[in-house]
């Protein structure tokens, strides 16, 4: 057999071999699995709850994932795996038991590379089989509680909620895995493992604790096969917590996520969000307009909602009718009429917006523009005497224009309605108690666009008690603001190429997201790791 360096999946992707040939390379006629042709990238791309000891992804082709498993596994495993890969079809390729066991638990002494030489790096083998991820589970502190004591379970769940609120966690994840129920907190936008509950037949916390949470959130505990969601207010340690609870059936049971919603008005000043002082007057002038559209853009978790609420809070007064249509209503604002999208009942962004416009509004906030219909109604409203605020998912401010046009909105309508666009990201602020100074390396100077040889002090995250050992505490918005001035309006009407809009912005000395983020790194507000995690240079 020819020596082969590349995985069967890679060869298939390059169309050098057919799907049949790829499978034959991986699994021979004796049903032996050839480890040399496995695709490490494909394997490591599986979600953490993928059962690495039972199923080994081989190739992905035409919306179908081909997965090796031991011949003793039931055919039904394919259906159980499908939800873990966004419901793509899963086809099982059964291999003989011994060969599969060897693939999952390789004896170190027989490990060889595809070209027959002894494997120099045993870590690589482990990585193939998800052993590194397995280790991360081992490292999570295990907790045991009396599974027969209803009160103890209830206390445990409430403790998890109380501690979450204390450390500024936005979401609590309860993740069923093969042997544990794992709990993770999202703090400042990043998930971290908190604890795990070892599960046995007598004490299956994957069922017991999730059932308890479902009772608290008034969900149907008899139903575990379909996703559910609900909202509840709980008093924990004397603090009122607004919670949004959702469940999702996964391979090892229902996964549950509790979102902790802010219930006090934390949306006060744009400068508190991290908007640069020199941008605020410009942005506030947009909000002062009696008609037109202002868009906030960025990926999920970039702080768009906070910016929208802060903006709305500035606009609410006794003389104006402010109406929103949101999915979900994340925070209740005084004197604002908030409408919750309910797709099942036929209340969508588009239909809700249409009804709002019959109710004599002055200011309308649409949670998100996802489709042409919503975009067109929103633009129509913006052209007929209403100030419309909304969000869109694009990488930067100029792309918002092209996105609207791609949705099918006429360029002249975009040009007439759009007042301005804010693009944003959130950088984690380095913890003020424990950060360390250091001198930037030549590579870092290059990333930051600084001249070679510059003496520049940057900060590094370390971790202490104040920041839960993350090295970061709180977050800071990074903003790019694009005023749609006459020059940009003209370019939009002419069919707007992204490049042209960007050139105009550069010509007008508008700072890009990247430029603003770099300034924050140089001002020691955050680290270069955060910069690279959150913003890419081409944006
Ligand atoms: Zn710290």
């Amino acid at each position: 057999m020819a020596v082969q360096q590349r995985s069967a999946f890679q060869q298939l992707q390059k169309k050098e071999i057919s799907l049949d040939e790829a499978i034959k390379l991986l699994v021979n006629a004796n049903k032996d699995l050839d480890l040399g042709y496995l695709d490490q990238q494909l394997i490591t791309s599986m979600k953490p709850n993928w059962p690495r000891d039972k199923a080994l992804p081989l190739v992905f082709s035409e919306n179908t994932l081909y997965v090796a498993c031991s011949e003793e596994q039931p055919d039904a495993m394919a259906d159980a795996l499908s939800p873990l890969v966004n419901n793509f079809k899963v086809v099982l390729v059964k291999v003989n038991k011994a060969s599969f066991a060897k693939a999952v638990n390789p004896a170190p002494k027989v490990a060889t590379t595809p070209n027959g030489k002894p494997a120099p790096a045993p870590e690589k083998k482990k990585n193939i089989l998800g052993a590194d991820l397995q280790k991360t589970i081992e490292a999570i502190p295990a907790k045991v509680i009396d599974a027969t004591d209803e009160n103890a379970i209830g206390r445990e769940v409430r403790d998890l909620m109380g501690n979450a609120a204390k450390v500024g966690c936005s979401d609590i994840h309860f993740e069923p895995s093969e042997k544990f129920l794992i709990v993770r907190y999202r703090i400042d936008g990043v998930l971290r493992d908190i604890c795990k509950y070892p599960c046995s037949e007598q004490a299956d916390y994957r069922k017991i604790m999730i059932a308890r949470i479902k009772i608290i959130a008034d969900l149907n505990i008899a139903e575990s096969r379909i996703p559910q969601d609900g909202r509840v207010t709980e008093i924990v340690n004397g603090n009122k917590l607004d919670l949004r609870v959702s469940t999702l059936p996964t391979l090892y049971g229902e996964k549950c996520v509790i979102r902790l919603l802010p219930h006090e008005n934390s949306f006060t000043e744009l400068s508190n969000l991290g908007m640069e002082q020199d941008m605020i007057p410009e942005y506030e002038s947009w909000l002062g307009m009696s008609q037109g559209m202002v868009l906030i853009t960025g990926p999920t978790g970039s702080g768009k909602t906070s910016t929208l609420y802060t903006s709305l809070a500035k606009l609410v007064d006794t003389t104006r009718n402010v109406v929103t249509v949101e999915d979900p209503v994340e925070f209740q604002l005084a004197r604002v009429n908030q409408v919750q999208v309910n797709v099942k009942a036929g209340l969508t962004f588009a239909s809700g917006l249409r009804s709002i416009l019959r109710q004599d509004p002055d200011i309308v906030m649409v949670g998100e523009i996802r489709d042409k219909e919503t975009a067109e109604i929103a633009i129509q409203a913006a052209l007929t005497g209403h100030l419309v605020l909304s969000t869109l998912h694009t990488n930067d401010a100029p792309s918002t224009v092209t996105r609207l046009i791609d949705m099918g909105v006429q360029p002249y309508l975009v040009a007439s309605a759009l007042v301005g666009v804010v693009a944003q990201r959130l950088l984690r602020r380095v913890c003020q108690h424990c950060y360390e100074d250091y001198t930037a390396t030549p590579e870092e100077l290059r990333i930051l666009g600084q001249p070679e040889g510059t003496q520049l002090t940057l900060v590094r995250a370390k971790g202490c008690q104040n920041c839960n050992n993350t090295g970061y505490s709180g977050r800071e918005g990074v903003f790019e603001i694009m005023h749609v001035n006459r020059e940009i309006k003209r370019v939009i009407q002419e069919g707007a190429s992204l490049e042209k809009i960007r050139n105009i912005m550069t010509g007008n000395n508008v700072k890009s997201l990247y430029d603003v983020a770099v300034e924050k790194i140089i001002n020691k507000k955050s680290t270069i790791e955060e910069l690279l995690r959150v913003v890419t240079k081409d944006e």
Side-chain angles (χ1 to χ4, degrees), residues 430-435 461-473:
V430 71
C431 171
Q432 291 302 307
H433 298 279
C434 64
Y435 74 79
K462 195 173 162 235
C464 68
Q465 279 189 337
N466 292 296
C467 58
N468 294 305
N469 285 315
T470 57
Y472 296 93
S473 175

Side-chain angles (χ1 to χ4, degrees), residues 186 188-189 259 273-274 296-308 330 391-396 422-428 475-480 513 533-535 539:
R186 187 178 294 280
D188 294 337
R259 166 157 283 196
L273 299 176
I296 320 284
T297 188
T300 304
S302 58
K304 299 190 294 285
T305 309
S306 291
T307 306
L308 270 184
E330 288 204 25
T391 72
L392 219 72
H393 274 256
T394 59
N395 280 337
D396 58 11
V422 176
Q424 77 172 96
R425 294 288 188 280
L426 286 175
L427 282 179
R428 288 187 293 166
R475 286 190 288 177
E476 167 106 1
V478 178
F479 295 88
E480 170 186 71
L513 265 180
R533 184 178 74 87
V534 173
V535 197
E539 285 174 5

Side-chain angles (χ1 to χ4, degrees), residues 507-526:
N508 294 341
N509 289 321
V510 177
K511 285 181 209 155
S512 72
L513 265 180
Y514 195 80
D515 298 338
V516 176
V518 163
E519 278 175 19
K520 291 193 193 266
I521 306 306
I522 293 175
N523 293 332
K524 301 205 218 173
K525 287 201 169 133
S526 190

